[in-house]
Amino acid sequence: MGDLYWKVTHARTDGTEADRARLVELRERQRDEYGKLRHCVWIVSLEGPETVADAADVLRHATTPPYRALEAMIEGDPSAADRFEACRDPFWQSVISFAAAAREVLGQT
C-alpha cells in the first residue's frame, strides 16, 4: 500500500485523460492491495493478541482517507491531492504502531 501511495503522489494529475487513467490504474491496484491487507488483518484479529489486532485494525482504517482522496483526485477535485498528501503521515504512523506492537509481542514469546 505504501508503495502505491508514493506512486499516487508522483502521478498527480494536470487534468489530462492520461493522468486520470494512471490514477484509475493506481486506484485499482490499491483496491487489490487492500484486499490482501484486509485478509492479513483478519488473520491477526483471529490469531493475534488484542493489542496487535487493534493496531492492525487501525492500520486498515488508515487506508480509507487516502482512498477517498484518490477517488476525489480522479473526479477532478483540485484540493484532493493535498488531502491525499495529508493522509500519508497518519498511514505511516499506523504502520509503525502495528510493527511496534507486533515486535513487542514477538519479543515476549
Side-chain angles (χ1 to χ4, degrees):
M1 301 278 309
D3 180 54
L4 289 172
Y5 289 168
W6 286 110
K7 289 179 180 172
V8 169
T9 297
H10 295 295
R12 286 186 173 192
T13 182
D14 291 325
T16 67
E17 190 55 38
D19 289 340
R20 184 181 172 287
R22 178 72 176 138
L23 291 174
V24 168
E25 175 193 340
L26 289 168
R27 178 192 59 197
E28 290 170 4
R29 290 178 57 200
Q30 187 176 3
R31 205 174 7 219
D32 291 344
E33 291 303 314
Y34 176 79
K36 294 174 191 175
L37 175 70
R38 180 67 187 117
H39 177 76
C40 292
V41 168
W42 181 252
I43 291 170
V44 169
S45 295
L46 290 174
E47 297 182 12
E50 189 173 339
T51 56
V52 179
D54 289 346
D57 200 44
V58 168
L59 171 57
R60 180 180 65 86
H61 285 288
T63 65
T64 300
Y67 185 82
R68 288 185 179 149
L70 176 55
E71 285 284 315
M73 288 169 70
I74 291 168
E75 294 169 2
D77 181 339
S79 67
D82 290 337
R83 286 198 320 267
F84 187 89
E85 287 298 313
C87 298
R88 198 167 51 198
D89 283 342
F91 169 77
W92 281 114
Q93 285 304 314
S94 69
V95 171
I96 291 166
S97 296
F98 170 72
R103 270 194 308 275
E104 183 178 327
V105 168
L106 290 172
Q108 296 172 2
T109 58

